[in-house]
């Protein structure tokens, strides 16, 4: 089909216009143009490297190099891909506010981290408006299609399928919310036109983006999965072709050319209608139907994001603003912080008196996690559909009760955690933005597992989420993240699946001073807590806070996951206290940004996902 596409093809490294056409291009035409660009890029790369070596001019002036804590005076963006951070920083420099920067970063992530998030998925954004001294939460989580009833999922429905129907294929996808959410945020709270804010993402489609270590890891994992199930290569041939280099392992220096340019261009011109109406909506519905799903064009047309009041609590002379249900992460994060403060009071000790990541520290924080995750399993779901006892879960009495159970010498039986024990009763991306004026955005977005449902819309290259697996689609059985969940999170038409995404801001004296969050399923919650504590308690820079070794416990399964450093350091002692210790590879990927007391802004992007922050300085 001959749909509208870009008319100028730009090289991302040098900004050079490579071709111009007044014709609208199709996806396959674009792919042809890109093939020839690859050769040109190889030649240009050699020339550019030579120039940089001899002239000594860095290509990206404002980007902070991985791990370093570069300081900025104007604004900072920490995403899990350097080009996405740079997209947000560019929009700040062009006069955009933090919401414009967040929208630009998110659309760029859709292009450069397609396995993690994107326009086929959903997300949450927490915003601090320093002028109005007001916090907002925007919920653009996917919703279950009108025909997605519980009986379509679970053991009986899954019989004969290689993976649960909530995980792969058409039934796995919820109604995508990202485009609606970003367009809404841009219109209500942004300063620049949507077209300008989308420009960096469109340019990244045109120029392609250099493959990094994370892309190579994701490709080899997904190819191994496709290899194991030969029918997948047929069903998900487009995923293979458009997102996995046709099955050929990515090489150093290769570039990925996203097929999403035409649809991004439509959104730049027509806003959310460019996605939720007309040929794009029709093509999404047809692709889902072909893959056995029930998401319709009416579902898409009816999708609206929801503005919510963030959860709020005091923590060490600051106010924490975080995401309410359908996120479980906000409640779990606040419960964890509350339990830790109560433990400090009751024990007459402080967390800082325990060494960072010592066995004592890991043990105490783990006890707090276990309570929070036990409550998550039992009570949480979409509060627009089920009753979630938020006030009770966050009451100070309940926090005291939880902290009263902590013992330093041992962990407890699973049944001792959570559950109001008072008598009467896997593909995501997080980024953080701060500006000089005190505004902030914490935003986490997802298509759920790596490459979501594997279903790609042929005409537009849109990769659809598999968020339906975040419901308790198979009652009594853990989901892909091993999470046990209750009837509160059962599949129901229109409902949003429970999420662990935990975008969180810390506000002090009217200014956002920290913006944190993570990707990694339930590990999002533990990684976000540790990122925050590493900065607040242990005085780490955002770069150090995101890089430090991490631990995770989600109550069920009953295992304490420790990254290798931590296992070597504290594993034996923790086993001695009854923890079932397992060594784990990288636990989640977390990003953070901070405002120092001198007003300088710093960002940290997790080295586990090859990210890198970027920012800009105000002119003197
Ligand atoms: O919303 C959630 O909790 C999940 N869909 C998040 C999945 C995730 O973080 C995958 N990993 N990187």
């Amino acid at each position: 089909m001959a749909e509208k596409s870009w008319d100028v093809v730009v090289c991302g490294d040098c900004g050079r216009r490579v071709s111009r056409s007044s014709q609208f291009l199709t996806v396959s035409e674009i792919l042809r143009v890109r093939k020839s660009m690859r050769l040109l890029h190889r030649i240009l790369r050699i020339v550019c490297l030579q120039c940089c070596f001899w002239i000594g001019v860095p290509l990206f002036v404002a980007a902070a190099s991985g791990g370093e804590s570069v300081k900025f005076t104007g604004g900072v963006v920490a995403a899990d891909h350097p080009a996405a951070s740079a997209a947000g920083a560019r929009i700040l420099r062009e006069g955009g506010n933090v919401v414009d920067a967040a929208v630009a970063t998110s659309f760029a992530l859709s292009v450069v981290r397609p396995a993690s998030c994107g326009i086929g998925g959903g997300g949450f954004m927490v915003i601090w408006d320093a002028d109005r001294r007001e916090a907002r939460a925007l919920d653009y989580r996917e919703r279950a299609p009108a025909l997605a009833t519980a009986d379509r999922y679970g053991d009986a429905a899954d019989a004969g399928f290689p993976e649960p129907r909530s995980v792969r294929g058409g039934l796995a996808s919820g109604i995508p919310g990202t485009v609606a959410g970003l367009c809404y945020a841009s219109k209500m709270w942004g300063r620049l036109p949507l077209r300008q804010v989308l420009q960096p993402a469109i340019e990244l489609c045109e120029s392609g983006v250099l493959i990094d270590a994370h892309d190579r890891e994701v490709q080899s994992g997904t190819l191994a999965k496709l290899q194991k199930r030969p029918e997948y290569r047929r069903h998900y041939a487009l995923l293979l072709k458009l997102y996995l280099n046709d099955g050929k392992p990515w090489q150093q220096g290769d570039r990925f050319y996203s097929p999403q340019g035409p649809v991004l261009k439509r959104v730049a011109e027509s806003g959310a209608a460019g996605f939720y109406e007309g040929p794009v909506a029709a093509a999404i519905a047809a692709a889902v139907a072909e893959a056995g799903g029930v998401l319709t064009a009416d579902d898409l047309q009816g999708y609206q994001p929801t503005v919510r009041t963030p959860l709020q609590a005091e923590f060490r002379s600051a106010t924490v603003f975080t995401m309410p249900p359908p996120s479980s992460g906000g409640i779990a994060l606040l419960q964890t912080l509350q339990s830790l403060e109560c433990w400090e009071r009751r024990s007459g000790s402080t967390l800082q008196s325990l060494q960072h990541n010592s066995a004592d520290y890991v043990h105490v924080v783990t006890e707090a996690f276990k309570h929070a995750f036990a409550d998550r399993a039992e009570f949480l779901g979409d509060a627009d559909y089920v009753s979630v006892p938020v006030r009770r879960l966050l009451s100070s009495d309940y926090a005291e009760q939880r902290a009263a159970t902590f013992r330093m010498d041992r962990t407890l039986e699973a049944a001792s955690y959570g559950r109001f024990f008072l008598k009467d009763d896997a593909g995501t991306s997080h980024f953080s933005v701060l500006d000089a004026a005190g505004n902030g955005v914490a935003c986490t977005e997802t298509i759920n597992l790596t490459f979501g449902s594997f279903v790609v819309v042929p005409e537009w290259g849109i990769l659809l989420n598999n968020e339906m697996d975040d419901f308790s689609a198979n009652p009594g059985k853990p989901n892909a993240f091993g999470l046990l969940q209750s009837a509160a999170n059962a599949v129901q038409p229109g409902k949003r699946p429970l999420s662990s995404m935990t975008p969180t801001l810390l506000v002090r004296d009217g200014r956002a001073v920290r913006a944190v969050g993570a990707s990694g399923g339930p590990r999002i919650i533990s990684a976000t807590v540790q990122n925050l504590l590493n900065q607040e308690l242990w005085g780490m820079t955002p770069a150090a806070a995101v890089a430090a070794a991490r631990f995770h416990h989600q109550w069920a399964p009953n295992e304490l996951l420790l990254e290798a450093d931590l296992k070597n350091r504290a594993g034996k002692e923790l086993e001695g206290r009854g923890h079932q210790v397992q060594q784990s590879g990288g636990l989640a990927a977390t990003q953070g940004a901070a405002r120092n007391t001198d007003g300088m802004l710093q960002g940290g992007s997790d080295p586990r996902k090859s990210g890198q922050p970027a920012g800009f300085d105000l002119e003197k």
Side-chain angles (χ1 to χ4, degrees):
M1 61 178 295
E3 269 301 325
K4 192 167 203 177
S5 174
W6 54 82
D7 55 7
V8 179
V9 183
V10 182
C11 165
D13 283 353
C14 55
R16 184 167 176 265
R17 286 173 184 227
V18 181
S19 81
R20 174 178 281 279
S21 157
S22 57
Q23 302 280 311
F24 295 150
L25 304 180
T26 61
V27 166
S28 55
E29 283 165 338
I30 290 157
L31 288 173
R32 270 204 306 279
V33 172
R34 284 170 184 164
K35 262 192 184 152
S36 56
M37 283 174 65
R38 276 176 208 165
L39 179 63
L40 182 65
H41 268 285
R42 282 206 182 106
I43 299 163
L44 283 175
R45 204 162 36 244
I46 295 165
V47 174
C48 283
L49 285 174
Q50 292 288 329
C51 291
C52 289
F53 181 79
W54 290 110
I55 308 170
V57 179
L59 275 177
F60 300 106
V61 187
S65 60
E68 273 175 39
S69 253
V70 176
K71 296 179 180 173
F72 303 99
T73 58
V76 68
V77 183
D80 61 19
H81 192 290
S85 300
R90 162 177 159 186
I91 289 299
L92 285 174
R93 209 170 37 239
E94 289 177 7
N97 63 18
V98 288
V99 173
D100 293 313
V103 173
T105 305
S106 170
F107 276 122
L109 281 167
S110 187
V111 175
V112 300
R113 284 281 180 247
S116 300
C117 62
I119 57 177
F124 299 139
M125 193 183 281
V126 177
I127 302 165
W128 175 252
D129 181 332
D131 272 350
R132 292 169 180 261
R133 291 197 161 221
E134 186 179 280
R136 307 177 187 113
L138 185 64
D139 167 1
Y140 47 99
R141 179 77 164 156
E142 298 90 331
R143 302 180 74 152
L147 295 173
T149 44
D151 58 335
R152 294 187 191 273
Y153 300 90
D155 278 348
D158 290 341
F161 288 89
E163 284 183 283
R165 305 188 83 189
S166 59
V167 172
R168 299 292 171 217
L171 275 174
S173 298
I175 311 164
T178 293
V179 173
L182 298 179
C183 291
Y184 183 90
S186 164
K187 183 166 147 207
M188 299 303 289
W189 307 307
R191 195 184 283 154
L192 300 182
L194 184 63
R195 177 189 294 272
Q196 184 175 349
V197 169
L198 262 151
Q199 193 54 28
I202 292 170
E203 287 174 16
L204 284 164
C205 292
E206 294 163 351
S207 64
V209 55
L210 272 180
I211 290 299
D212 66 11
H214 179 74
D215 297 319
R216 283 198 292 276
E217 210 175 283
V218 157
Q219 189 204 35
S220 72
T222 312
L223 288 179
K225 203 171 245 297
L226 294 181
Q227 208 68 50
K228 255 200 289 181
R229 302 199 170 98
E231 74 275 26
Y232 273 21
R233 292 182 83 86
R234 200 163 19 87
H235 291 156
Y236 306 117
L238 269 179
L239 174 75
L240 198 65
K241 179 168 175 209
L242 297 179
Y243 287 94
L244 294 166
N245 200 30
D246 244 340
K248 294 186 284 293
W250 291 117
Q251 302 297 318
Q252 191 84 23
D254 279 354
R255 301 178 84 82
F256 164 67
Y257 291 86
S258 170
Q260 294 177 41
V263 69
L264 292 179
K265 193 90 189 277
R266 277 182 70 87
V267 173
E269 279 158 15
S270 328
F275 183 91
Y276 291 92
E277 293 172 21
V280 176
I284 294 173
V288 168
E290 172 73 23
V294 292
L295 196 162
T296 63
D298 283 349
D299 286 323
L300 289 159
Q301 191 161 15
Y303 187 91
Q304 293 294 332
T306 306
V307 180
R308 300 189 183 278
T309 306
L311 298 175
Q312 175 177 346
E314 298 308 304
F315 179 68
R316 296 185 183 242
S317 75
T319 308
V320 181
F321 292 102
T322 187
M323 197 66 204
S327 166
S328 64
I331 290 178
L333 174 130
L334 293 183
Q335 282 195 313
T336 303
L337 297 181
Q338 280 180 325
S339 302
L340 294 175
E341 284 196 325
C342 290
W343 173 82
E344 285 187 318
R345 256 197 318 278
R346 298 181 69 87
S347 66
S349 185
T350 62
L351 286 165
Q352 282 112 320
S353 70
L354 316 174
Q355 202 195 342
H356 180 250
N357 275 354
S358 62
D360 281 343
Y361 179 72
V362 173
H363 174 76
V364 171
V365 180
T366 297
E367 293 304 288
F369 284 154
K370 287 172 79 172
H371 279 296
F373 274 100
D375 282 335
R376 182 196 192 282
E378 182 145 358
F379 296 111
L380 299 194
D382 182 350
D384 289 353
Y385 286 74
V386 293
S387 151
V388 177
V390 177
R391 283 180 59 181
R392 194 159 184 199
L393 288 167
L394 295 178
S395 74
S396 51
D397 283 358
Y398 185 43
E400 289 292 346
Q401 294 280 334
R402 296 195 303 275
T405 68
F406 289 19
R407 293 185 49 156
M408 285 311 281
D409 62 333
R410 64 180 175 84
T411 191
L412 308 175
E413 295 300 309
S416 309
Y417 294 91
R419 295 165 192 264
F420 291 137
F421 51 83
L422 296 168
K423 284 275 183 297
D424 57 344
D425 300 283
T428 302
S429 182
H430 172 83
F431 63 90
S432 299
V433 187
L434 293 178
D435 74 3
N439 303 295
V441 171
C443 181
T444 316
E445 299 177 325
T446 184
I447 54 171
N448 197 26
L449 303 180
T450 303
F451 291 119
S453 63
F454 284 6
V455 176
V456 177
V457 180
E459 296 87 339
W460 303 97
I462 300 164
L463 187 51
L464 293 171
N465 69 82
N466 61 349
E467 226 66 62
M468 295 300 286
D469 196 57
D470 275 348
F471 281 116
S472 33
N474 205 348
K477 290 206 166 166
N479 74 356
F481 292 108
L483 285 167
L484 279 171
Q485 310 180 93
S486 72
N489 189 33
V491 177
Q492 195 181 328
K495 194 174 171 188
R496 302 162 190 88
L498 186 62
S499 172
S500 298
M501 293 187 291
T502 317
T504 299
L505 294 172
L506 207 74
V507 173
R508 216 172 246 132
D509 303 325
R511 291 170 165 243
V513 292
R514 306 202 188 283
V516 290
S519 54
R523 296 153 189 197
I524 289 172
I525 298 170
S526 50
T528 304
V529 167
Q530 288 168 79
N531 185 348
L532 194 62
L533 294 179
N534 287 349
Q535 295 188 44
E536 276 291 308
L537 295 188
W538 302 102
M540 294 184 196
T541 62
V546 302
R550 281 198 285 274
F551 54 97
H552 173 75
H553 203 303
Q554 62 186 54
W555 178 67
N558 181 17
E559 56 187 19
L560 173 58
L561 303 180
L562 302 177
E563 288 184 347
D565 275 7
L566 205 42
K567 167 114 185 311
N568 293 339
R569 177 145 30 120
K572 282 264 162 324
E573 217 178 317
L574 287 160
E575 271 167 2
R577 295 179 201 200
H579 292 286
Q580 295 185 20
V581 168
Q582 298 283 335
Q583 182 167 321
S584 171
L587 284 169
T590 179
Q591 273 63 244
R595 177 187 316 281
N596 298 342
T597 44
D598 63 2
M600 298 300 282
L601 303 168
Q602 288 182 288
S605 295
D606 203 319
R608 293 166 186 79
K609 201 173 171 182
S610 309
Q612 187 174 299
F616 84 105
D617 289 321
L618 296 171
E619 280 171 26
K620 299 219 170 80

